[in-house]
Structures are given as structure tokens and as C-alpha cells.
């Protein structure tokens, strides 16, 4: 087992499960019969134990392995344990769906079985079908997991008898790769890098210092004092406390066109607008809880680096990932000022990234790839105060419409990993003209998390108004 | 916190959650509207945090408490975390219901919150409504838990606006206590004893030897060599292996009239017939898995003791509980022979119980009350081989029809605790003329557990035939 996988497994605890998730919403095809979901489920489990190796292995540790973790194939693989058929209670609103996903995301995966689950969910009042999937971060990172789920989708609405993402048998027709945008290209790096570079970065020092030590070393040597991308002057907030095992998930999407228009009118990127929306929503949330600190909150934002900036040979597996510490302008009452603060902070961070050496970039990438590990690593090293308050990721997804057995994918939302000291995570992903926001939090530490959706909606309106749209 | 509660909490692990459960099936009243279940759910959570103290406390341990476990009130009690609204996927058969209960019973309760959950389940094709409840054994034993759930039911089908079992507000009308049968009287002891006598029995030695030590001591001093109720010559079977965290639950009921007729024709008790049914079903199951040992399996059967036999003053809280080690006759091919073997074994065990001293009875009761603890205790003491292969309990329930907000209770099934080395548990309970069997097993160690239902049904038929009915 490679060091990052082991690290994710070892960082896991009852209150801190280390799996990522995805929620996909589908519209049934017009020719769907009354048993469409049941048939989809039967198709999904029809693979039996003919699943890809990734979906067959589970971690194993014993006296014989001297306590070291290894991967082992599950010889009693039981597809019905992993793929499940669920339903929502009436009235079958999105609220009931999010409540179910919150619960499904709360439970730990069983180490004695392969570390994934997929839940097909029926019962939405509008007739749509949902799929919630979870997979351990020790197997794949969140972005790869999402891509994996998408990999079996088709751009052809007429394809039927399509395999599930875990099945060995390939889907009858795969989507043609789209021409990549710069963002998508960078994002490919997010998934491509860890296989090689991350292992190198972590592996070298892991032997001497152990995995957590390696991470913290790359953090301190690479960046802490040398660049402005790392800030240790973050306020301590209600999000930065220990977490419990229950989760709350909330998700919604907004048209990218609206974000783009704000960006165009204010000279900012779509990502800046996403961050300003988050900053504004968090400000309102914290005011409502009488818990807004004077200093602005800082988000760790993984960003893709172009090949030139990353200094990495392309053979290494695509582009590298950097991490920018972005001030969210939560101290500013005016939405325009917040957006400006975000914009400046992101620009400073990106400039600083350019001055990094290849080794520093590699170190950065390790953190960008494994942000969920940084918290536990910092803790183990006795650094109680994290250099940021939460992680906000924005991962580009496919831009064209995709289908699964004729069912049209109409929504795609990531679920991520809250950790001790970092109880809220926001991950966004684009799909087919929309930006999907997935908010995952500790149910207790971030009460009424779903209120943030309302505040995000308020905030995009306020930004439009401020931009004169 | 008293020693038994602490022991149940400390025996808990990822693969061995220590909660008991109950599945209740209701028929909707004739005047039920389309939103009946939603209204029932709203009523169930309407208590808010006005719940009984038992449902508010959670275990707490810290440096301040010197590592000792204490109960503490949850100051952020969140009723919606504990009471949930679920639905079954189509086609909404009992199979889908059992699958959902299996999953709900697999997840551990969060120690940072009060240790219980209740799930209202809609979506059964026949229109019935189910309720699955779980509560930690550290709070109450299984029988008390079941009684607690029943305590808010009414014998009046016209009662409405009835409170949930956890609500502080009492139900508008409580059922009149039924005249107790000898079995029900004995069963009352099951619930009444632990509060006082069990604590005494365990408390005295717990100080010196620690909780597991106390249990094992009562076992060895009280019974092992002195009475025939304890047998250490049990075969090792596929059920007596380590378990994983996933559960499978199966349940079904049979008319008590059928059991009674077999008993009458053969001179055996209803409980003997229940045990013979289990023995026959387990025999078929083990043959199917090519895993039937030569020697007969032994079940630990908790039985109620009359006041005179128990030597306990009635002020101590009712009758005591004994444990009989019953041979299940799995080595006999003929159902009549199996029933005879069970009958003899139960008679011998009961005779031996009569010869016990009060202290020995107390020790017995400790085991009868906390059978799930015995396994871990034995293990901790290095006794690898358990004196029995599984626990089969038979707990009398109410004999008249009960209602909850007009919904008629039509089925009542207990879910119990598989432990390491004891992967299958059978608990039966009677209600309104039926005997409900609840089979709880480790999903991996006891594959296709639901097949046992078919075998139980075959067996009752075979016993009827053998008895000439």
C-alpha cells in the first residue's frame, strides 16, 4: 500500500470517516416503465463479483504483516452489500434526499470489505432518480472518484444495457473526450498527479519521518515562511472545533452564466465569484450564530497549475496542483468589497505559486491532493491552529449532457470529508452549464448547515446587484 | 454509571455494536389519510427535546473523570437525529423491509448523543407501516426496551394524538395491565431484576476483579462444576467465529395455537417446541453449508424463575432469571427425536436450577440478564471455547391487540446482538396469538440467514406431522 492510502486509512476514526461521496440526479427517459429503477438496480448488481480490482480490495493488517497495512482481495465479495436500493419517504422533496445522503455519508465503511457503496434512490416526487456513491479516500481521491462515476456515462441518450462504474464489462459506448478548457486541463492534473508525483513527494520523506511528519515537513519547508500563500493568522471559528460522527449534507446549483456575468462585470474569475459567494454566505451564517470573528476567514483553495508553472515534465502525469490560501472577506459588509478581497487574495496567492521551486510545487501538490490529511497531520505535530478555516474546492466537470441507460444526468454534487478542526467543507463542480455546490459538515458542529444554501442564493443576487447586472 | 451499563459500553467495538432493536408492524386505521405516516412522524418528533431522561443521556469519559464512564445529559439534543422517516424501495415487500432493518441495525450508535434511534418506515406494498427502534444495551436490556416501546401503545383503537415512547408527555390512555400468566410474571422479573439484584451481584466483586472478572467468577463459582446446567462440551460451529460489523435480520411469526397443539400432543412446553423448531432449522442450515458437527449444538436459554425458586425477597424487584443450557438435538435426523432431546435437556436444566443457592441464582441472573456480555467476558479471560453455541430467548409479550394512534400492531419482532464467537442470535416474542421469531446474525459469518425462516417453517410442519396433527 502506498503512503497516501495508508495515511488516509490511519487518519480514520469513528468521528472522522475518510470517504468521499457523490450525489447524482437523473431524469428518467421518456420510455421508462414503472419498474425503471428496479431494473436499473438489477442491472447495477448484475456484475456480481465481476468488478474492477479497485472495487474488490480491502485493507488488511495483522501480526503476520507486522502491523503494516496491505490491500487484499475480498474473497467473499457480496455485491448486494455494496450496491443498495433505497427510497425516500413522502413527500419526496430534495430535503428528504439530502437528509438520506447526510445519513448515508455519516456511516463508516467496513474495512473487512471493499471500501465503497452505491445507493440507487427512488421516491423523488418529481420522478427523478438519484444515486449516492461513497468511496474511501485511501482508494481514490474525490476528483478521481467523480470521474470514475462519470466514466461509465454516455453522451448518447439511446444507449441502454450500460454497465455500472464498478463492473468489469465496459459500457457499450463511451463518451468522446471533450476538447479541454484550460480549467478542465488543470483539473485533469488533480486526478493525474497523485499516482506518481504525490507518491514521490510523500514517499521520499515518509520513510524517515513517517507519513504525518512528511506532510508537515513539506508544509513548513516548502511554504510556511517563504511564500505568502500560507497564512497562519486565521481566526478561530465555530467550524474549527472537534467533530462528531454525524454529517449534514446540502447541495444546490446555480447557472454558470450568472457567475460568468458577475465575473465579466467585475474583472474576476468564475472561481473568485464562487469564493465570494461562499464568503458572503458564511458571513451571514456566522452573524446568525453570533460567531463572526473580526478577522476574515481563510479558505484553502486547491488550484490547477499549468505545465510551465509546475516545472514538472508532462510524463509525470499531467499538471500539478497548488494550494492558495484565500481570504474570504467575511469582515466586509459590502458584497463588492468581499469580491475584491477574494480577488486580491487569489491573485497574490497565484503570484506566489509562480515563484515556487519544483520541490515546493511537489510539496504543494501533496497538500492540494490530500487536504483532508493536513488537519490530522498538523494536529499530530502539536500545531493546534490550522492555517485555514475550511477547504473550498472547485472542480470542473463535463460540459455536455450525459446519460446512464437513457436517464439524463441533471445534477452532480460532491460530498467531502469534514475533519477535526475543520467541520465544514465546500466542494463545487460544474456540469452542463450549472455550478453544483456540495456542502458537507459535521451535523453538530455546523448546525442548520442547509441554511447556507439560502445564504448562497442571497449572495449571488447581492453580487449581481453590486455588479450592476 | 452502574457496572452492567459500563460493561456493555466497554464491550462495544466497531464489529460488535451493543444495541438491541425492535421491529413493529402496524396496519393503518381505516380513516387514515394519504399523509398518515408523515403525520405520525410529525407527531413523533413533536416532543422536541421534551423527552424522558433515559432518552437524553449519553456516556461521557474524559481526563477529568479519570477515564471512568459517566452519564451526561445531551445539551444539544436534536430529536431529528434520533427519530427518522424512512421508505422502502419498490416492490416494498417484507424482503425490502428486512434488508433496511439489517442495515439500520448494523450501524453503531454515536456515544456523543443519547444512545437510541427510531425509524418510521413507509412504502410497504400492502400499506402497512413499520417502526424499527434501536437502543443501547447499556441503557436498558432488550426486554425492557420492548416493554418501553409497548408502554405507549393503547388497547383502544380510537385513541389518537398519542405520544411516542420517548416523549415526556404521557399517552392519553394507557392499556390496562393484563392478568399475568406465569410466563409473563416470570418475564416481568427479567425486566425488574437487573435494577437491583444484578447490580448487587456484579457490584460486589466488580471492585476487586473488574467487571469481566466478576462475570466469569460468578460463572465458575456458581455453576460450572456444580450443576448440569453448564456444559463446556459444545461443538465449535460456523456460528462461533469472529464477526464483522454488517448484520442480517430475518423475522416471521407463526400462530401460537400451532405450537401449543404440538406441545399438547407431545407433552412438551411451547418453549420446548420453539427450541426444537430452532434446532431443526439450524440442522438443515448447517447441512446445507456442509458444516453440521457430530455433537448437538447447545443453546443458552434464559428462563424466568418463580419467586420461591429464586430465594429472592420480592422487594428486590420481581423474579430472578436463570439460564439453562439446552441441547438442540441437531444430531438427530428425526424431528420427534429432536423435540425429545430438547425436552429432556430443558427438564434437566430446570431441575438443576432448583438446587442452586441464592448466591448462585444471583450469579445466574447476571448471566441471564447480560448474555451478550458473557462472550466478551469469557474471551477476555482466555476461555476461547464458549459453553454454548448461541442464545435463544423467548420473551412473552402482550396477548391482546394494541394500537398506536389508531394503527393496529400486527407484528412485533426483536433484534438482538451477535457477538464475536456467537454470530447468530434468536429471540422470540409472543403477541396477540402469534410467536414472532427475530433472527439477528453477522451478515458475513451467517450467510443467507433468511433461509432459516424457510427451515423454521419446514420444521413446524415436520413437528406437526411427527406429533400426528
Amino acid at each position: 500500500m502506498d503512503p497516501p492510502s495508508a495515511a488516509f486509512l490511519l487518519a480514520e476514526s469513528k468521528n472522522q470517516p475518510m470517504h468521499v461521496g457523490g450525489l447524482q440526479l437523473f431524469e428518467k427517459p421518456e420510455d421508462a416503465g414503472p419498474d425503471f429503477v428496479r431494473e436499473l438496480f438489477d442491472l447495477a448488481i448484475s456484475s456480481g463479483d465481476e468488478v474492477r480490482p479497485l472495487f474488490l480490495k480491502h485493507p488488511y493488517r495483522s501480526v503476520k504483516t507486522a502491523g503494516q497495512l496491505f490491500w487484499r482481495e475480498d474473497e467473499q465479495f457480496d455485491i448486494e452489500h455494496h450496491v443498495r436500493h433505497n427510497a425516500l419517504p413522502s413527500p419526496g422533496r430534495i430535503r428528504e434526499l439530502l437528509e438520506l445522503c447526510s445519513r448515508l455519508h455519516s456511516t463508516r465503511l467496513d474495512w473487512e470489505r471493499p471500501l465503497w457503496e452505491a445507493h440507487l434512490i427512488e421516491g423523488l416526487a418529481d420522478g427523478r432518480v438519484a444515486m449516492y456513491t461513497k468511496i474511501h479516500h485511501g482508494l481514490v481521491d474525490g476528483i478521481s472518484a467523480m470521474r470514475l462515476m462519470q466514466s461509465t456515462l454516455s453522451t448518447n441518450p439511446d444507449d441502454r444495457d450500460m454497465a455500472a462504474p464498478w463492473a468489469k464489462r465496459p459500457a457499450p459506448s463511451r463518451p468522446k473526450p471533450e476538447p479541454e478548457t484550460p480549467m478542465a486541463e488543470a483539473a485533469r492534473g488533480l486526478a493525474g498527479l497523485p499516482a506518481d508525483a504525490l507518491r514521490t513527494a510523500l514517499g521520499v520523506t515518509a520513510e524517515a519521518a513517517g507519513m504525518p511528519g512528511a506532510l508537515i515537513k513539506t508544509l513548513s519547508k516548502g511554504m510556511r515562511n517563504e511564500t505568502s500563500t500560507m497564512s497562519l493568522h486565521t481566526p478561530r471559528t465555530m467550524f474549527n472545533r472537534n467533530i462528531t460522527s454525524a454529517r449534514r449534507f446540502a447541495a444546490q446549483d446555480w447557472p454558470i452564466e450568472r457567475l460568468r456575468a458577475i465575473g465579466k462585470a467585475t474583472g474576476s474569475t468564475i472561481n473568485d465569484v464562487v469564493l465570494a459567494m461562499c464568503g458572503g454566505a458564511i458571513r451571514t451564517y456566522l452573524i446568525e450564530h453570533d460567531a463572526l470573528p473580526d478577522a476574515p476567514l481563510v479558505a484553502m483553495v486547491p488550484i490547477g497549475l499549468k505545465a510551465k508553472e509546475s516545472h514538472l515534465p508532462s510524463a509525470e502525469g499531467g499538471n500539478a496542483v497548488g494550494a492558495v490560501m484565500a481570504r474570504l472577506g467575511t469582515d466586509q459588509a459590502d458584497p463588492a468589497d468581499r469580491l475584491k478581497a477574494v480577488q486580491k487574495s487569489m491573485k497574490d496567492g497565484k503570484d506566489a505559486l509562480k515563484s515556487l521551486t519544483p520541490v515546493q510545487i511537489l510539496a504543494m501538490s501533496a497538500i492540494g491532493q490530500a487536504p483532508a490529511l493536513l488537519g490530522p497531520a498538523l494536529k499530530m505535530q502539536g500545531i493546534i491552529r490550522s492555517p485555514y478555516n475550511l477547504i473550498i474546492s472547485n472542480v470542473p466537470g463535463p460540459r455536455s449532457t450525459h446519460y446512464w441507460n437513457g436517464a439524463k444526468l441533471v445534477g452532480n454534487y460532491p460530498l467531502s470529508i469534514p475533519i477535526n478542526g475543520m467541520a465544514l467543507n465546500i466542494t463545487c463542480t460544474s456540469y452542463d452549464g450549472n455550478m453544483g455546490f456540495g456542502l458537507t459538515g459535521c451535523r453538530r458542529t455546523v448546525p442548520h448547515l442547509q441554511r447556507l444554501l439560502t445564504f448562497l442564493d442571497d449572495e449571488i443576487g447581492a453580487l449581481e446587484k453590486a455588479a450592476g447586472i
Side-chain angles (χ1 to χ4, degrees), chain A:
Chain A
M1 192 178 290
D2 53 67
S5 293
F8 275 111
L9 287 163
L10 295 174
E12 184 159 82
S13 69
K14 188 167 62 103
N15 289 350
Q16 192 172 278
M18 282 286 171
H19 55 257
V20 292
L23 171 64
Q24 297 179 306
L25 264 176
F26 294 94
E27 265 171 18
K28 285 184 200 165
E30 286 187 5
D31 61 357
D35 293 330
F36 180 76
V37 184
R38 163 67 47 183
E39 286 157 16
L40 213 54
F41 176 73
D42 288 342
L43 188 64
I45 59 166
S46 66
S47 66
D49 56 3
E50 290 293 305
V51 302
R52 301 196 212 174
L54 180 70
F55 294 93
L56 264 187
K57 65 185 186 178
H58 74 105
Y60 173 70
R61 170 160 66 166
S62 78
V63 176
K64 270 189 207 159
T65 67
Q68 286 277 68
L69 278 166
F70 288 88
W71 290 118
R72 187 158 79 163
E73 188 174 311
D74 181 3
E75 287 171 1
Q76 301 174 61
F77 181 77
D78 169 10
I79 186 84
E80 290 182 53
H81 176 81
H82 298 274
V83 185
R84 298 170 186 181
H85 190 176
N86 284 264
L88 301 179
S90 66
R93 298 161 299 183
I94 291 295
R95 180 178 160 173
E96 277 76 35
L97 177 63
L98 295 177
E99 184 57 38
L100 177 60
C101 289
S102 301
R103 261 195 280 143
L104 295 174
H105 203 64
S106 299
T107 56
R108 261 177 85 172
L109 289 160
D110 183 355
W111 282 27
E112 282 164 64
R113 300 174 182 264
L115 299 169
W116 64 282
E117 283 173 19
H119 297 256
L120 205 57
I121 303 162
E122 65 181 43
L124 273 164
D126 59 17
R128 289 187 293 179
V129 182
M131 176 131 100
Y132 162 81
T133 44
K134 74 201 258 189
I135 187 161
H136 202 282
H137 207 324
L139 281 179
V140 292
D141 62 279
I143 294 141
S144 306
M146 223 161 59
R147 292 180 164 264
L148 196 65
M149 288 299 151
Q150 280 160 15
S151 71
T152 33
L153 300 180
S154 162
T155 49
N156 183 354
D158 297 324
D159 275 345
R160 291 292 187 281
D161 197 27
M162 290 168 67
W166 48 86
K168 236 178 207 160
R169 175 174 70 92
S173 89
R174 298 280 180 153
K176 296 254 184 333
E178 301 189 333
E180 284 193 339
T181 60
M183 267 185 93
E185 199 184 325
R188 193 162 51 76
L190 286 165
L193 180 79
D196 299 7
L198 177 59
R199 258 164 234 172
T200 314
L202 298 175
V204 172
T205 41
E207 274 176 33
M211 175 63 200
L215 248 185
I216 193 72
K217 270 187 195 162
T218 61
L219 174 65
S220 43
K221 275 199 300 192
M223 295 156 292
R224 200 187 290 164
N225 301 313
E226 294 174 44
T227 85
S228 66
T229 54
M230 220 57 174
S231 155
L232 283 167
H233 306 287
T234 53
R236 195 165 161 81
T237 73
M238 59 184 286
F239 304 133
N240 305 113
R241 293 196 310 229
N242 280 349
I243 59 171
T244 69
S245 63
R247 298 284 164 271
R248 179 97 75 170
F249 174 62
Q252 191 169 327
D253 42 27
W254 286 270
I256 292 176
E257 204 32 68
R258 289 181 69 184
L259 305 180
R260 189 176 287 123
I262 296 168
K264 210 172 165 186
T266 56
S268 34
T269 67
I270 290 177
N271 203 33
D272 292 343
V273 179
V274 164
L275 292 170
M277 279 174 71
C278 294
I282 287 171
R283 177 184 155 87
T284 312
Y285 178 90
L286 289 175
I287 288 174
E288 208 175 55
H289 284 85
D290 198 18
L292 182 70
D294 292 336
L297 270 73
V298 175
M300 197 267 247
V301 184
I303 61 165
L305 298 177
K306 298 223 178 66
K308 209 182 70 182
E309 288 166 348
S310 73
H311 309 277
L312 293 172
S314 59
E316 281 275 312
N319 298 314
V321 186
V324 170
M325 300 296 136
R327 293 203 161 75
L328 293 178
T330 50
D331 53 334
Q332 309 279 347
D334 181 67
D337 291 343
R338 273 201 295 281
L339 181 53
K340 263 180 224 149
V342 166
Q343 219 179 333
K344 181 177 184 316
S345 170
M346 286 300 287
K347 195 181 170 305
D348 288 354
K350 285 181 199 162
D351 287 347
L353 280 180
K354 283 184 195 144
S355 68
L356 294 182
T357 66
V359 169
Q360 288 169 333
I361 285 284
L362 215 54
M364 265 285 189
S365 292
I367 296 169
Q369 283 299 328
L373 274 185
L374 190 58
L378 289 168
K379 200 133 213 174
M380 283 182 233
Q381 298 292 328
I383 299 179
I384 283 137
R385 201 157 164 184
S386 162
Y388 48 89
N389 299 99
L390 75 161
I391 299 164
I392 304 180
S393 312
N394 180 3
V395 188
R399 296 201 293 170
S400 58
T401 313
H402 281 63
Y403 299 85
W404 189 39
N405 289 297
K408 181 180 169 188
L409 180 67
V410 291
N412 194 19
Y413 314 91
L415 290 88
S416 195
I417 306 178
I419 52 174
N420 270 332
M422 208 90 63
L424 172 67
N425 175 293
I426 301 180
T427 304
C428 302
T429 191
S430 57
Y431 165 68
D432 204 12
N434 283 316
M435 181 67 78
F437 283 64
L439 284 62
T440 317
C442 163
R443 187 177 167 108
R444 172 150 280 181
T445 317
V446 190
H448 307 294
L449 167 68
Q450 65 278 18
R451 304 268 303 140
L452 279 165
L453 294 182
T454 309
F455 303 149
L456 281 169
D457 197 55
D458 294 346
E459 189 62 14
I460 191 172
L463 285 168
E464 281 172 335
K465 205 177 152 196
I469 297 167

